[in-house]
Amino acid sequence: MRLYRRPLAAVLGGLALALTAAGSALAVDGTFAWTGPEGKAYSIQNPPDDKCFDMAQEARGARNATKKTLVVYTEKRCKGKATRIAPGKSAAGSARFASVIFNPR
């Protein structure tokens, strides 16, 4: 198994670098943060435009520190009740959501 670690790491590293370079023009600048299970804070930097993300676990208190509008949804696959959050704004700390889309078209 050790023989495969370096090539695998190189491939994954190259893929991540390629995606970062190619996706930078399509990313929303800034940070999206939320509160997860047991009050633990989570965030992502420069999320991609117009792509729906399902939350893998409990998520609440969305905070939009990006430069563009995002929308959180009460159901997965960006369905259910939608709440728009403008740049620099936050949802109520108790407001749960199951999916999010950044800079929707």
Side-chain angles (χ1 to χ4, degrees):
M1 190 67 177
R2 284 188 171 157
L3 296 176
Y4 297 110
R5 285 186 184 166
R6 281 192 179 159
L8 181 60
V11 169
L12 291 176
L15 180 60
L17 183 59
L19 289 174
T20 301
S24 62
L26 302 174
V28 175
D29 291 332
T31 303
F32 171 65
W34 69 96
T35 303
E38 299 179 19
K40 186 173 178 183
Y42 292 89
S43 67
I44 57 173
Q45 294 284 334
N46 306 326
D49 272 357
D50 201 35
K51 179 170 168 67
C52 181
F53 290 93
D54 288 342
M55 306 310 285
Q57 56 192 5
E58 170 193 330
R60 58 188 161 81
R63 293 177 296 285
N64 185 2
T66 72
K67 296 178 181 174
K68 299 191 178 170
T69 299
L70 62 84
V71 181
V72 293
Y73 294 86
T74 56
E75 297 177 25
K76 294 199 182 274
R77 298 189 188 129
C78 292
K79 297 186 188 254
K81 181 182 176 199
T83 303
R84 294 182 79 78
I85 303 174
K89 301 295 181 182
S90 299
S94 61
R96 296 182 186 273
F97 63 98
S99 56
V100 60
I101 189 167
F102 303 93
N103 194 28
R105 296 179 204 264

